[in-house]
Amino acid sequence: MNTIAQTYRLGDRDVGRLGYGAMQLAGPGVFGPPADEGRAIQVLRDAIDAGVRHIDTSDFYGPHTTNQLIKKALYPYPDDLVIVTKVGARRDAQGGWLSAFTPQELTRAVEDNLRHLGLESIEVVNLRSMLDVHHPVEGALEPQLEALIALKERGLIRHIGLSNVTPSQVKAALKMTPVACVQNLYNLAHRQDDDLIAWLASEGIAYVPFFPLGGFSPLQSDRLNAVAASLNATPMQVALAWLLQRSPNILLIPGTSSPEHLRENLAAKDLVLTPDVVAELDKVGG
């Protein structure tokens, strides 16, 4: 019997630990519209039909594309659906990723997310640090957090999260506001946040790894492939199951534009890994 916890608190709601990330619904490079809008809408509806109630998105996916698709596919939304977005970046005309990190830009981004999603308030808004585009780096986030706190006081957002941040930035933020979740790069092969995950669990804060399956460069490991074959599962299912067993505060948002892959991803919650298998998988990263 699977004894892995199936839900965890996000903000003030309990959500299933396997959610859905909408990034891949945009065009190549997360830029422009999808090649098949009908298929993208079907993936979103299939996710809801399968019980997913945590959808991660951003208005800079596309830009605007994924939020518009979510509204077209799912509005009016189920009462228990938790939509999480992030702010801090924007796109240039060629699809490049640029910082949009001033308080004024963050305020405008939240307003854009609200408009494109058709919401009056967003459940969780993650502040995506752009002090470095690719990696967490130390630096003050107080002006940006103050802007989001002001939006929270206006009722435009309900909870604040953090993304691409260091442990010290999380602790500094907690002196200013409750933090609903932390969203950083983490997966079987990239485990630099092991200590942070454990500390967040002790504080009752959700950790949401982005690129749980490797992102633009999918996980590649002979050891992972061998374990998957022995379990009659796909490597990606095993990678997700490892994350679910890694810590109870981990919430997953694997993305896909394929209804078939969506079903495979969601089936990972039923895959139980024995301690021997976990020990073997732990050798993949470090």
Side-chain angles (χ1 to χ4, degrees):
M1 180 178 178
N2 190 346
T3 59
I4 302 301
Q6 297 296 304
T7 64
Y8 195 78
R9 181 59 53 110
L10 180 58
D12 55 12
R13 300 207 205 181
D14 290 330
V15 298
R17 293 183 60 210
L18 257 175
Y20 174 74
M23 185 176 73
Q24 292 189 33
L25 294 184
V30 201
F31 193 63
D36 186 339
E37 181 179 289
R39 184 176 170 89
I41 287 173
Q42 188 63 52
V43 169
L44 286 162
R45 291 177 175 166
D46 286 353
I48 294 299
D49 290 344
V52 168
R53 290 299 184 270
H54 171 201
I55 291 181
D56 183 87
T57 185
S58 176
D59 213 45
F60 54 70
Y61 295 161
H64 319 313
T65 301
T66 60
N67 282 350
Q68 291 168 344
L69 286 169
I70 289 168
K71 182 181 178 183
K72 188 169 185 177
L74 304 179
Y75 190 87
Y77 303 112
D79 290 341
D80 56 350
L81 178 62
V82 175
I83 296 178
V84 180
T85 191
K86 64 186 69 64
V87 294
R90 63 182 178 88
R91 311 300 292 279
D92 64 21
Q94 290 74 43
W97 302 84
L98 304 175
S99 175
F101 210 49
T102 67
Q104 294 78 14
E105 288 172 315
L106 296 173
T107 298
R108 186 161 57 249
V110 169
E111 292 169 346
D112 288 345
N113 275 275
L114 288 167
R115 183 172 65 257
H116 290 127
L117 288 166
L119 292 170
E120 295 183 356
S121 180
I122 299 174
E123 194 71 21
V124 182
V125 173
N126 287 324
L127 173 65
R128 208 281 186 188
S129 174
M130 293 296 287
L131 300 177
D132 184 280
V133 174
H134 302 292
H135 307 288
V137 298
E138 298 294 355
L141 299 176
E142 281 80 357
Q144 291 77 21
L145 283 167
E146 287 170 356
L148 293 190
I149 290 168
L151 293 170
K152 183 179 178 182
E153 291 171 349
R154 289 172 54 192
L156 299 184
I157 63 179
R158 299 196 65 233
H159 302 280
I160 294 170
L162 300 170
S163 180
N164 196 41
V165 290
T166 67
S168 61
Q169 287 169 332
V170 177
K171 292 174 183 177
L174 283 168
K175 295 177 180 178
M176 300 176 64
T177 180
V179 172
C181 57
V182 173
Q183 188 177 108
N184 280 359
L185 170 64
Y186 185 85
N187 56 48
L188 184 60
H190 297 90
R191 298 173 50 190
Q192 66 285 346
D193 272 357
D194 277 344
D195 291 342
L196 176 59
I197 291 169
W199 182 79
L200 291 171
S202 72
E203 297 293 316
I205 298 172
Y207 183 90
V208 188
F210 66 74
F211 293 161
L213 300 177
F216 298 114
S217 300
L219 293 172
Q220 299 289 331
S221 165
D222 291 341
R223 181 173 277 112
L224 173 59
N225 293 342
V227 168
S230 72
L231 297 174
N232 194 29
T234 70
M236 298 302 99
Q237 286 174 325
V238 173
L240 292 173
W242 179 86
L243 284 165
L244 289 173
Q245 292 185 217
R246 169 67 185 79
S247 182
N249 65 322
I250 289 180
L251 297 175
L252 299 183
I253 49 169
T256 180
S257 58
S258 161
E260 295 77 21
H261 288 161
L262 173 71
R263 288 193 293 273
E264 289 181 1
N265 289 343
L266 294 179
K269 69 180 184 296
D270 300 317
L271 184 61
V272 180
L273 308 179
T274 65
D276 287 346
V277 168
V278 171
E280 181 69 9
L281 292 171
D282 283 346
K283 299 174 185 176
V284 174

